[in-house]
Amino acid sequence: MNIFINILVALACVLLGYTIGSANISIPLGKLFFKQDPRDYGSHNVGATNCGRLWGKKWFFFVFLFDTFKTIAPLFISWAILTFVPMNNGNSLLPDAAKFASGDVSEYVIQWPVYWMSCIGALLGNIFPIFIGFKGGKAASTYLGLTILTSWALSVCGLITYMVSLYIKRYVSLSSIITGIQTAILAWVWAILTQLKVIPTDFIFFINWMPLLYCNYVYAITFTVLVAVMVYRHHENIGRLIAGNERKIHWMDSKKKVNN
């Protein structure tokens, strides 16, 4: 295994993730449709929550989905290039997920799923976007993108936890934190069982969106980093939650309740 190439490719994945993760949709949307810059209103944040408070739930979901895509795009680009492009004497640099699962990786230059590093780059791009003065969101959408890419089972568990918490408490920040911690724990459980080959390979690929991405300890570490940073970025919200003055969302309320 060539250490230099491994480090170089890892940095390239981070850079790709950072570049795409720095893209922003809320500012051009605000200026185009509302003649507003979200940084001048509400929490002065370019994230989906602030946009939803300013412009309504439709725009919350639009911005949130775009920010989620910023994690999906660099991860799949990295995976596709490293897995399919013959850059090493006619062979790819990285084995596919099936070979990772079988342990047959000795012939490859890169023997770990380095594409997960693009998620770290996307995280940095979301928080410190180079295109808008290094002042971005709180990384909840980056974490969501990683969850969606992992497996349908983890996505369903996270979605249920998030929506139930949001419905009961009406706090976006609290729901994001609770869901992040829960899915991070599940990610480690899944990675450990996968690494120890406790779970049959066919079942792994059934849960993990077929034989695409390999979720071992690298994935679990990446997931933990994203969740930890997301929780830290919500430190002001946590303070307001403890003090009892965190803002609730109201677009889930019925029209009758809102009018009353």
Side-chain angles (χ1 to χ4, degrees), residues 10-23:
L11 291 175
C13 289
V14 172
L15 181 60
L16 176 64
Y18 176 76
T19 303
I20 296 178
S22 292

Side-chain angles (χ1 to χ4, degrees), residues 9 12-21 69-85 87 94 114-119 149 212-213:
V9 171
C13 289
V14 172
L15 181 60
L16 176 64
Y18 176 76
T19 303
I20 296 178
F69 174 78
K70 295 191 301 185
T71 303
I72 296 175
L75 182 54
F76 267 124
I77 291 172
S78 301
W79 164 78
I81 292 175
L82 295 172
T83 305
F84 296 109
V85 178
M87 293 184 286
L94 195 69
V114 65
Y115 39 70
W116 293 117
M117 299 303 295
S118 66
C119 296
L149 282 170
L212 298 180
L213 305 170

Side-chain angles (χ1 to χ4, degrees), residues 150-187:
T150 301
S151 73
W152 62 265
L154 195 60
S155 300
V156 169
C157 289
L159 179 62
I160 292 174
T161 300
Y162 182 85
M163 295 307 297
V164 169
S165 175
L166 191 63
Y167 181 78
I168 294 174
K169 293 297 186 180
R170 295 297 199 271
Y171 295 122
V172 172
S173 57
L174 180 62
S175 299
S176 299
I177 292 169
I178 291 174
T179 306
I181 294 173
Q182 177 218 41
T183 47
I185 294 172
L186 292 176

Side-chain angles (χ1 to χ4, degrees), residues 30-68:
K31 291 183 177 180
L32 179 63
F33 292 102
F34 303 99
K35 309 301 180 184
Q36 294 178 335
D37 187 325
R39 294 172 295 182
D40 298 330
Y41 302 89
S43 62
H44 307 285
N45 190 280
V46 297
T49 301
N50 192 41
C51 293
R53 291 195 184 105
L54 292 173
W55 309 323
K57 61 182 178 182
K58 176 176 68 174
W59 298 102
F60 166 84
F61 285 111
F62 191 91
V63 174
F64 200 85
L65 289 175
F66 178 85
D67 287 346
T68 300

